[in-house]
Amino acid sequence: MSTLPVRQVRHDSGVLCAPTTPPRRLPGIGDLLKLRSNLLNAIQYAAQDGSELSYFAVGPKRMVFVNRSTAADVVLSDIHTFGKPNAENPLRLVLGDGLISNPYHDQWLRRRRALQPMYSRPGLAGMRQKMADVIGEHTARWEGRDRTELRVHEDMLSFALDIVARCMFSRSGDTVSGVLTPGTISFLLEFVERRLRMPLSLPVGVPSRRNREFTATMRGLDDLVHRLIRERRRTGERHGDLLDLLLEARVGDAAEPLTDVEVRDEVLTTFVAAYETTASALTWILYLLACYPDVQRSVREEVRSAAPPTTGERQGSTLLECVINEGMRLFPPSPTIPRQVGKDVFIGSSEIPKGSFVMLNVAAIHRDPAVWERPDAFLPERFMNGVPGKGRFLPFGAGAHMCIGKGFAMMEMSMLLASILDKFEISQRDSTGPAPRAMLTLRPREGFRLTLTRI
Ligand code: HEM
């Protein structure tokens, strides 16, 4: 592993810098405006005075932000008290009872065990060629010219969607497009986000313009996914993709296959889980590589001289993986992780009433000065000896609910970044960096570009 010069640069680029909006609480709706207009700003407020916990209210909803690693540890260690959000979770409107949104612990656990082989070493090995094909197609588009302007977030969204479409259905993003497009997924996530932040929402059955669009979009998606499941079951063809593995998964002691509805839930869950998160991580990592040409050079040397990227189990063992981890520390793709408390409980000396939402404030935890030396600096080498334990480094969560697709994501990101670094120099086009905006994922507030120059 090459040794990097110590960098003193403070890299906040708006994350956890001084918040801009004064906290304002309005009668009846509480902190709604604060949370809706700029969640990141609210997250920053929550963390800025150094307190472990901070409190928000949106109508009847009570939210507790957990800003420090010690308190995050408490939450992550008790999966029964701090469970997934309950059955009212608006994500269920899209993902049903897939792994992310399943509120029933025992059912979730049986499914999690059934799906584990999909993301095991042999499961992932089967995805490597599919990923390589998609990477080849995307980099070929940039190779035609000496210099390419990368529309970073848009291009990474398109890349991440192609990867998940190819790995799930052995089809390109284009074949499923028209239905499963970046636009559709963004619309659905925004629909869910609005409902998460509003104190009250109209039932989906009420034919407002937005609800009608939602219902039509979901019908299109359901038709597509059920058609693909039926075709696969009817022909019995195997494609070595995630859909094959889902159909082969067996649940519980009776080793029952998943029903069509359960397969549909997991297909949509995988699309939603794998798409914006990976695109967000890649977007910020490319940006950081452009900001730090010395790191870029060292990773390029490593990529050109070293073994192929790993599946992520050996985290911290390559400089490329260190860069990915440090990128996700500074710009966590999922800036908050939600839980809902099943009974009155204490975190430290603070009592949290049953039903409250507990949001792990990952953006703040990743810069907890009690854990991270020079928390605002970009120092990939801090991960050389691996990642710190539960509660401290949470890009993929931790504990029983930890991201099941972590190995998949690390493999995909390592392969794409290695390929880009081998062929191109990445540089900034503008001196001002992109400002982040927190939705369910951390996105750039506006589109920004980087230059890829062929080398
Ligand atoms: C950089 C990319 C990714 C990031 C940052 C990420 C992050 C996360 C986070 C923070 C969670 C929540 C953990 C919790 O609730 O404690 C999660 C859960 C999950 N992720 Fe990922 N994820 C990524 C990629 C993927 C991919 C590629 C897949 C699938 C191919 C995936 C599938 C899932 C699933 C199914 C869950 C629910 C796990 C459960 O509760 O059992 N994710 N992810």
Side-chain angles (χ1 to χ4, degrees), residues 84 100 108 112 119 273-274 277 337 339 395-396 401 403-404 408:
K84 291 279 178 95
I100 289 187
W108 161 81
R112 171 101 189 187
Y119 300 101
T277 47
I337 297 177
R339 294 287 186 265
F396 295 106
H401 283 293
C403 176
I404 200 171
F408 184 106

Side-chain angles (χ1 to χ4, degrees), residues 288-303:
L288 288 165
L289 284 168
C291 293
Y292 296 91
D294 58 331
V295 180
Q296 194 184 140
R297 259 191 307 279
S298 304
V299 187
R300 181 172 299 110
E301 269 168 34
E302 177 189 86
V303 162

Side-chain angles (χ1 to χ4, degrees), residues 207-254:
S208 64
R209 189 186 53 77
R210 190 167 275 276
N211 280 351
R212 283 203 310 274
E213 192 182 344
F214 174 77
T215 309
T217 307
M218 285 310 300
R219 195 173 305 126
L221 268 184
D222 281 343
D223 287 351
L224 171 81
V225 175
H226 279 296
R227 183 165 52 73
L228 293 169
I229 295 170
R230 274 198 308 274
E231 255 174 47
R232 195 64 70 89
R233 287 209 201 268
R234 185 175 51 75
T235 61
E237 279 174 11
R238 292 199 85 262
H239 295 261
D241 52 22
L242 293 176
L243 185 56
D244 276 356
L245 298 176
L246 273 173
L247 295 176
E248 283 161 14
R250 292 294 176 265
V251 186
D253 294 339

Side-chain angles (χ1 to χ4, degrees), residues 178-221:
V179 184
L180 251 172
T181 61
T184 335
I185 303 182
S186 291
F187 166 74
L188 294 175
L189 291 181
E190 271 161 35
F191 186 88
V192 167
E193 268 162 1
R194 276 174 80 94
R195 297 177 89 85
L196 283 171
R197 292 197 200 143
M198 299 294 272
L200 293 169
S201 308
L202 285 176
V204 173
V206 175
S208 64
R209 189 186 53 77
R210 190 167 275 276
N211 280 351
R212 283 203 310 274
E213 192 182 344
F214 174 77
T215 309
T217 307
M218 285 310 300
R219 195 173 305 126
L221 268 184

